[in-house]
């Protein structure tokens, strides 16, 4: 996929900012890499060609607000109101083609965590990212219990593509993650 990325005169940050009013950056491919106790590398195809068969998520939809904030958009059906779009704002620190994203997670843990994006390749319509976590965000089962694993997370490779008219613009009315958890816990 990296070999298929075109050319652009814009910086990675300029490309992240270049969305029109109705566009988002959406994951077309996501691969997760971990290591088991024997040192074997395990590849997990989380999203392949825009489809996931693992679970109803995950949500990899982003929109750069300014050089200080990136919004991560989620879609959830876990409230009494049904389907809800909500956002998690990330504080952004830019160092060349590397971006550190830090957010407060309002889930069970209510903690701060960071992930680092190394931009491997990009053009006007796609961005290839190697994502590593400073803090590994916990994964929960449907009952809210932390899922444990014998594997050590290494990194994810993410192919974001420019996506127009996502969900008929409903994402524009997304609530905050804090508001979502208040609705969910009512």
């Amino acid at each position: 996929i990296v070999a298929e990325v075109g050319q652009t005169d814009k910086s990675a940050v300029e490309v992240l900012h270049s969305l029109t009013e109705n566009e988002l950056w959406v994951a077309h491919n996501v691969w997760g890499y971990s290591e088991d106790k024997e040192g074997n590398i395990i590849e997990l195809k989380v999203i392949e060609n825009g489809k996931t068969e693992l679970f109803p998520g995950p949500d990899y939809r982003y929109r750069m607000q300014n050089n200080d904030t990136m919004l991560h958009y989620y879609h959830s059906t876990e409230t009494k109101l049904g389907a809800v779009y909500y956002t998690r704002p990330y504080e952004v620190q830019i160092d060349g083609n590397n971006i550190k994203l830090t957010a407060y997670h309002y889930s069970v843990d209510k903690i701060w965590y960071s992930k680092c994006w190394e931009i491997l390749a990009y053009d006007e319509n796609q961005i290839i990212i190697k994502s590593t976590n400073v803090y590994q965000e916990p994964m929960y089962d449907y009952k809210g219990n932390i899922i444990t694993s014998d594997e050590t997370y290494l990194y994810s490779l993410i192919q974001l593509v420019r996506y127009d008219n996502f969900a008929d613009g409903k994402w524009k009315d997304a609530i905050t993650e804090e508001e979502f958890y208040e609705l969910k816990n009512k």
Side-chain angles (χ1 to χ4, degrees):
I1 291 176
V2 171
E4 297 172 7
V5 175
Q7 301 283 325
T8 180
D9 292 334
K10 294 182 179 178
S11 71
V13 173
E14 288 172 326
V15 170
L16 280 167
H17 277 290
S18 69
L19 297 176
T20 66
E21 182 181 339
N22 292 320
E23 293 178 323
L24 289 174
W25 289 108
V26 177
H28 187 67
N29 288 293
V30 176
W31 302 273
Y33 295 90
S34 58
E35 184 177 9
D36 66 17
K37 288 183 177 181
E38 289 79 39
N40 300 310
I41 303 299
I42 299 162
E43 177 186 72
L44 176 64
K45 294 178 182 176
V46 180
I47 299 175
E48 190 167 28
N49 298 320
K51 298 191 179 359
T52 180
E53 296 187 19
L54 296 175
F55 36 85
D59 295 283
Y60 291 90
R61 301 174 186 124
Y62 298 93
R63 187 170 180 88
M64 192 83 146
Q65 291 297 99
N66 52 50
N67 280 350
D68 299 327
T69 307
M70 168 88 71
L71 289 181
H72 185 161
Y73 288 85
Y74 293 89
H75 178 258
S76 179
T77 57
E78 301 172 5
T79 72
K80 292 177 182 171
L81 300 176
V84 174
Y85 290 89
Y86 68 95
T87 62
R88 177 182 299 154
Y90 285 90
E91 294 176 7
V92 175
Q93 294 175 336
I94 300 167
D95 181 15
N97 281 343
N98 295 321
I99 300 171
K100 181 179 179 185
L101 303 168
T102 304
Y104 183 76
H105 197 274
Y106 286 94
S107 69
V108 179
D109 292 14
K110 296 185 179 175
I111 53 165
W112 283 93
Y113 70 94
S114 297
K115 61 175 121 187
C116 298
W117 281 4
E118 178 184 350
I119 309 295
L120 301 177
Y122 64 93
D123 60 26
E124 299 283 340
N125 297 306
Q126 65 182 323
I127 302 168
I128 311 299
I129 298 163
K130 179 179 178 182
S131 179
T132 55
N133 290 350
V134 174
Y135 170 79
Q136 174 62 39
E137 180 179 353
M139 294 188 67
Y140 298 91
D141 65 16
Y142 70 97
K143 293 181 180 178
N145 301 313
I146 294 178
I147 298 171
T148 59
S149 175
D150 291 336
E151 299 171 6
T152 302
Y153 170 81
L154 300 173
Y155 60 91
S156 298
L157 291 178
I158 304 169
Q159 179 192 26
L160 295 179
V161 296
R162 183 183 296 267
Y163 194 82
D164 187 20
N165 219 9
F166 171 71
D168 299 322
K170 292 179 183 176
W171 57 270
K172 292 179 184 178
D173 297 324
I175 62 175
T176 67
E177 184 176 25
E178 184 176 19
E179 292 168 325
F180 166 73
Y181 278 102
E182 288 173 6
L183 281 173
K184 182 179 172 183
N185 295 325
K186 280 186 177 182

